[in-house]
Amino acid sequence: MFYPLSAFIAYRYAKSNKASQTSFVSFINRFSVAGIALGLMALIIVVSVMNGLEGQLKQRILGIVPHIEITKTPIISESPSRTSSENEVTETPTQTAEKTQTVTLKEISETPIEGVVATMAYREAEAVVQSRSDLRGVQVHGVQPEVMIEHTLVANHMEQGRFSDLTEGSFAAIIGRSLAIKLEARVGDRLRVMVAGASVYTPFGRMPSQRLVTVVGVFDMGSQMDDKVMYMNLKDVNRLMRDPKGSEQSLRLFLNDAFNYQAVVSALTDRVGVSVNTMKTWRERQGPLFDAVKMEKNMMTLMLLLIIAVAAFNIVSALVMVVTEKQGDIAVLQTQGMLPSSVMWIFVLNGLFNGIKGAGIGLVLGVVITLQLNNILDLIGSPLALAADGRGLPIEMDVVQIVGIALLSLLLCVLASVYPARKAMKIAPSQALQNE
């Protein structure tokens, strides 16, 4: 015999056939295995779909919203006013603050920081866009087209036009498909952009700065931000804001993983000396949405884990009946010299073998159904087009997560087997053999 006696006997008991157990015990065993398999299968499917939906939100929304933005406020803790030496001219506080800020933003853009793939001079302004048919509030993003083409997903989701059309001085704009539909605007149409943050004095009083812009492109990220964002060249936005030198512009950081923003913020504060008060992250705008998605995923996972737990603890009733049925066998084994700990391991391994069967079946079914989920939905006539390409449910399978769920299921099976195993260990051979 090439394996321990406890494992051999546990395997014989776990086969659950009528020859070794009563039909009712066999039924309970099969029922617990089926419950574990179904629970694990459902958990794998739900978690994979929730991961896919979270990934789609991350792609659609965080592809538009700046990951990290460093404002123009002085960052390094230096005195804004500085007295020169006797042979130098004393600079005014304003000039020195501007000089310090310009150097600081340049230093940040040139400092290699892990997780940051690119930086870009950037400006954002609240504005009102007017077409011939409607009026909408938007966020005007002043960007550098060459950086956007290389480091943003928006450039890959252009329905018409391209970012290279945002040439300096053209006052061209790229808008989202949703905004274009609401404004009834097409490529080539002209829109009036009015910025409340900058104003001019006219014979009619103080008026917001405004400019006619030409639509040169339309993007479609399929997100709630599509009707709220308008892209323009950074130089044109500075002119629109009555700040042609760009003294109020900020620095935008592109991260390889937007969810890893906290590590980048820590690196900026520790290595570069950037104040937390001068940084804005995507969490300030979209944090509640992603928190809600994460909470929903966690709650769904908890509910399905409880289903697995219920199925796992069915093993308790099955093993208790097995222990009651096999009291004579246990007594004989003990009289032959088997230790109580070995008897306990028989039933612990019995529960583990049942868990392995259920987890194995659930793992295979869960993976197969998840991979074919969109085909199954098409087959039953309930297709769902929630992916960015409109091809069905977005699915993202995490191998580490799936393995962790399967191991947790096995752990629940082992824990459920402890009580019957300890009960079997405490059986007295003399009492068990009285009725044999």
Side-chain angles (χ1 to χ4, degrees):
M1 191 176 297
F2 298 101
Y3 39 88
L5 180 61
S6 298
F8 172 74
I9 299 174
Y11 175 72
R12 291 289 301 272
Y13 286 169
K15 287 197 299 186
S16 301
N17 51 28
K18 294 183 179 180
S20 60
Q21 298 175 1
T22 64
S23 59
F24 184 69
V25 175
S26 176
F27 170 77
I28 294 296
N29 259 335
R30 295 176 189 276
F31 185 80
S32 60
V33 169
I36 294 169
L38 290 175
L40 184 60
M41 177 192 70
L43 185 54
I44 290 174
I45 296 172
V46 169
V47 168
S48 298
V49 173
M50 293 297 293
N51 286 341
L53 291 173
E54 187 178 39
Q56 286 294 307
L57 285 176
K58 181 179 178 181
Q59 173 183 335
R60 296 178 182 184
I61 296 178
L62 301 187
I64 297 177
V65 176
H67 297 163
I68 296 178
E69 180 186 356
I70 302 176
T71 60
K72 74 174 190 64
T73 309
I75 306 171
I76 296 179
S77 57
E78 295 180 357
S79 176
S81 60
R82 180 180 57 186
T83 304
S84 63
S85 61
E86 294 179 359
N87 297 328
E88 295 178 348
V89 179
T90 302
E91 298 178 348
T92 63
T94 305
Q95 292 172 339
T96 306
E98 291 176 356
K99 184 175 181 180
T100 302
Q101 174 60 21
T102 303
V103 173
T104 301
L105 291 178
K106 184 178 180 181
E107 287 177 353
I108 295 173
S109 62
E110 294 176 351
T111 302
I113 299 175
E114 185 177 359
V116 178
V117 295
T119 60
M120 177 184 70
Y122 171 78
R123 187 161 194 168
E124 183 177 326
E126 300 288 338
V128 174
V129 178
Q130 182 182 20
S131 66
R132 295 180 179 179
S133 60
D134 204 351
L135 190 71
R136 293 284 172 176
V138 297
Q139 299 172 357
V140 178
H141 290 191
V143 298
Q144 296 176 332
E146 62 278 5
V147 181
M148 295 292 291
I149 291 173
E150 188 174 356
H151 297 288
T152 61
L153 292 173
V154 181
N156 299 327
H157 290 78
M158 296 293 297
E159 285 194 345
Q160 294 176 285
R162 53 189 182 274
F163 270 89
S164 57
D165 296 332
L166 298 180
T167 56
E168 180 182 349
S170 64
F171 283 92
I174 293 176
I175 61 176
R177 182 172 179 271
S178 299
L179 182 61
I181 293 174
K182 292 177 180 179
L183 294 176
E184 298 182 5
R186 301 177 181 176
V187 172
D189 290 352
R190 305 193 75 184
L191 306 174
R192 183 175 298 276
V193 178
M194 295 171 283
V195 182
S199 58
V200 294
Y201 290 94
T202 68
F204 301 100
R206 189 172 182 177
M207 300 290 291
S209 177
Q210 53 185 297
R211 184 84 186 206
L212 288 174
V213 301
T214 304
V215 178
V216 295
V218 176
F219 68 88
D220 185 13
M221 291 288 288
S223 74
Q224 62 182 14
M225 299 296 294
D226 284 11
D227 63 344
K228 298 178 177 63
V229 173
M230 169 185 288
Y231 290 105
M232 293 179 62
N233 189 284
L234 177 62
K235 301 293 184 181
D236 293 346
V237 174
N238 286 334
R239 292 191 182 96
L240 182 63
M241 297 295 294
R242 304 294 175 180
D243 180 25
K245 294 184 179 180
S247 60
E248 301 289 328
Q249 66 188 24
S250 57
L251 187 69
R252 177 173 175 175
L253 277 61
F254 297 90
L255 310 184
N256 56 3
D257 184 5
F259 286 174
N260 195 32
Y261 73 98
Q262 195 61 53
V264 177
V265 170
S266 299
L268 288 171
T269 55
D270 297 338
R271 292 176 50 192
V272 187
V274 181
S275 172
V276 178
N277 297 329
T278 63
M279 286 185 286
K280 298 178 181 178
T281 66
W282 63 266
R283 287 282 309 174
E284 299 177 16
R285 299 182 181 181
Q286 302 298 331
L289 173 62
F290 283 91
D291 287 343
V293 173
K294 184 177 181 180
M295 183 182 68
E296 183 179 1
K297 183 172 71 172
N298 291 339
M299 292 305 298
M300 291 292 294
T301 302
L302 178 61
M303 291 171 59
L304 293 173
L305 278 176
L306 290 176
I307 295 176
I308 296 176
V310 170
F313 280 95
N314 282 333
I315 294 175
V316 176
S317 57
L319 288 182
V320 166
M321 287 186 286
V322 171
V323 169
T324 303
E325 182 184 1
K326 303 296 183 180
Q327 284 187 6
D329 296 349
I330 296 171
V332 171
L333 290 173
Q334 288 180 334
T335 57
Q336 294 295 321
M338 177 173 280
L339 298 175
S341 60
S342 299
V343 174
M344 183 186 73
W345 275 108
I346 290 175
F347 295 95
V348 171
L349 293 174
N350 188 357
L352 178 61
F353 289 154
N354 285 335
I356 290 175
K357 286 194 294 185
I361 296 172
L363 190 62
V364 173
L365 289 177
V367 172
V368 171
I369 293 177
T370 300
L371 293 176
Q372 300 297 323
L373 186 57
N374 286 313
N375 294 332
I376 294 173
L377 291 175
D378 290 337
L379 186 63
I380 64 177
S382 300
L384 296 174
L386 297 179
D389 55 4
R391 296 182 182 178
L393 279 174
I395 295 172
E396 184 177 334
M397 298 181 65
D398 188 343
V399 176
V400 176
Q401 195 175 42
I402 292 175
V403 171
I405 292 170
L407 292 178
L408 182 58
S409 302
L410 295 179
L411 178 61
L412 290 174
C413 293
V414 172
L415 293 177
S417 307
V418 171
Y419 170 72
R422 289 182 63 85
K423 184 178 179 181
M425 181 180 67
K426 296 177 180 179
I427 291 177
S430 58
Q431 296 179 357
L433 293 175
Q434 283 181 353
N435 298 323
E436 293 293 327

